[in-house]
Amino acid sequence: MRFLFLGDMVGKTGRTAVWQRLPGLISDLKLDFVVVNGENAAGGFGITEEIFQETINAGADVVTTGNHVWDQKEAVTFAARHDQFLRPANYPAGTPGRGSNLFFARNGARVLVANIMGRVFMHPELDDPFTTGETILASCPLGEQADAVIFDFHAEATSEKQCFGHFVDGRASAVIGTHTHVPTADCQILNGGTGYMSDAGMCGDYDSSLGMDKEEPLNRFISKMPKGRFEAATGPATICGVGVEISDRTGLAEKIAPLRLGPRLSETIPDFWA
């Protein structure tokens, strides 16, 4: 199974780049399943129902989120209406929406996708991500109810992301980190066969501070005083993510490589799909 994960879409320039490029990527790379993190898609803060639907229309099978999931008030209402919209699974019981779900890929495979948020340096501090991950895996094990298992682990600390990867190694197809908006260089297959990357990076303008116009963040570092609001940068976007070839037999990763398309960063497409 050919799986593609795209990192956090940031603002209009990020989401537009994804909408424009994703249909061609699905066709050219013969992708079976696509997950996109959309929690920064609306001006850098949250996601609207319209943006969610446009992302699905562009070819995403699932849209995940993170700590900004509720920044747009309408998300509280529409979260429960869409099976393809995931908020972190370790929110307390009774939170609107769902944190994991089982989907069917284009090749017919059953794909469990779970969105989990870390707790180190993260707000709000949610339930234990490791306990949550264990519960999700127990309810839909790889090789039994699921042919592939994907985790979007939305967290700040790379140590927490790495430990979660090792925790589910051999029981998940891939653990892809999000939240820090910078693609990491540790794309790998863990000892048990789980594809792993600490952060997929963002889909947005890299002439920025994490996808936001750089002037106000820079001002706050220097002066310690706000002059205005954070605004999403509007320059050309680079799409960042990771491709994983998942075994149809074992559900584990066989190949993994980063994907980067656009200015600023060196472009790369997983060569095993070229």
Side-chain angles (χ1 to χ4, degrees):
M1 185 180 85
R2 291 183 169 186
F3 165 64
L4 179 67
F5 185 99
L6 296 183
D8 310 44
M9 296 187 296
V10 182
K12 183 177 182 179
T13 187
R15 67 180 188 255
T16 301
V18 170
W19 297 344
Q20 291 175 344
R21 297 297 298 269
L22 185 53
L25 288 171
I26 292 171
S27 175
D28 294 344
L29 302 180
K30 298 179 174 59
L31 299 175
D32 297 305
F33 201 78
V34 178
V35 175
V36 179
N37 187 290
E39 74 141 12
N40 301 116
F45 300 96
I47 185 170
T48 65
E49 187 170 20
E50 181 180 1
I51 292 172
F52 160 76
Q53 195 60 62
E54 285 290 341
T55 307
I56 295 297
N57 292 344
D61 295 285
V62 180
V63 175
T64 54
T65 55
N67 58 300
H68 289 291
V69 60
W70 310 124
D71 283 6
Q72 302 295 321
K73 292 182 180 180
E74 65 183 86
V76 175
T77 302
F78 79 74
R81 290 202 296 263
H82 298 285
D83 292 344
Q84 294 165 285
F85 181 82
L86 297 184
R87 45 83 174 159
N90 47 333
Y91 266 98
T95 302
R98 56 191 54 77
S100 64
N101 211 349
L102 191 66
F103 305 92
F104 286 94
R106 292 169 186 82
N107 67 343
R110 301 163 299 172
V111 184
L112 174 66
V113 182
N115 191 183
I116 292 183
M117 198 165 97
R119 297 202 293 185
V120 179
F121 309 129
M122 295 292 288
H123 301 282
E125 185 174 307
L126 303 184
D127 296 341
D128 179 15
F130 294 87
T131 301
T132 301
E134 186 66 45
T135 299
I136 290 169
L137 288 172
S139 67
C140 192
L142 180 65
E144 296 181 24
Q145 281 85 9
D147 301 306
V149 175
I150 310 296
F151 283 98
D152 174 348
F153 196 81
H154 195 81
E156 184 75 31
T158 50
S159 59
E160 188 179 23
K161 294 178 180 182
Q162 289 176 339
C163 283
F164 186 84
H166 293 303
F167 179 67
V168 301
D169 187 20
R171 300 187 291 160
S173 309
V175 174
I176 311 299
T178 56
H179 179 65
T180 59
H181 293 200
V182 177
T184 55
D186 62 341
C187 199
Q188 62 182 295
I189 297 176
L190 302 178
N191 292 338
T194 295
Y196 176 83
M197 188 174 185
S198 289
D199 203 286
M202 69 172 180
C203 298
D205 178 7
Y206 276 81
D207 183 18
S208 67
S209 174
L210 306 183
M212 308 306 287
D213 185 273
K214 59 196 174 203
E215 296 306 322
E216 181 57 20
L218 182 60
N219 161 68
R220 294 190 190 187
F221 277 116
I222 294 171
S223 71
K224 313 302 179 187
M225 294 289 292
K227 287 185 178 179
R229 298 175 57 193
F230 282 2
E231 301 284 350
T234 58
T238 296
I239 294 174
C240 283
V242 57
V244 186
E245 188 81 53
I246 298 172
S247 170
D248 294 332
R249 182 178 60 85
T250 66
L252 297 173
E254 295 183 322
K255 300 174 183 177
I256 186 169
L259 178 141
R260 294 190 294 271
L261 295 172
R264 293 282 165 180
L265 306 184
S266 299
E267 290 202 354
T268 178
I269 293 178
D271 57 4
F272 50 86
W273 291 347

